[in-house]
Amino acid sequence: ADVVEGQRAIDAQGGLTVVDANIGKSSYLDTDRSAITVAPSTHFAFTLQWLPSSAPPQGGPLDTSTKKQLVALAKNITTRAPKR
């Protein structure tokens, strides 16, 4: 969870738009790069990014449809994540 909060602070300080995702121990959406970062537990964290071929290499703005898909996938992964 600490690593997610640290990365969130770095992203926010770098000028990216970050919002709570309310998944697992800690999570946030980076709406500028279409990414979600989640810590389901204190021992495991992951980031998912939607990167269509038409987007710039760092990713593009997050739309509502993509947000729903990323959040659903992150929740699915979180339920299967190691619990220890």
Side-chain angles (χ1 to χ4, degrees):
D2 289 345
V3 71
V4 170
E5 290 307 313
Q7 187 60 50
R8 178 185 181 140
I10 290 167
D11 288 349
Q13 190 172 23
L16 298 172
T17 305
V18 296
V19 295
D20 288 330
N22 299 316
I23 302 170
K25 297 279 185 191
S26 180
S27 60
Y28 72 95
L29 286 156
D30 172 348
T31 62
D32 297 324
R33 297 187 298 193
S34 293
I36 186 168
T37 301
V38 180
S41 70
T42 56
H43 300 283
F44 176 67
F46 63 91
T47 298
L48 301 171
Q49 183 178 26
W50 175 251
L51 190 60
S53 59
S54 61
Q58 71 274 15
L62 184 63
D63 62 36
T64 303
S65 174
T66 302
K67 176 182 175 181
K68 287 179 183 177
Q69 292 175 7
L70 279 175
V71 168
L73 182 55
K75 286 180 177 179
N76 189 292
I77 292 169
T78 297
T79 62
R80 300 166 190 261
K83 303 292 185 225
R84 64 163 252 232

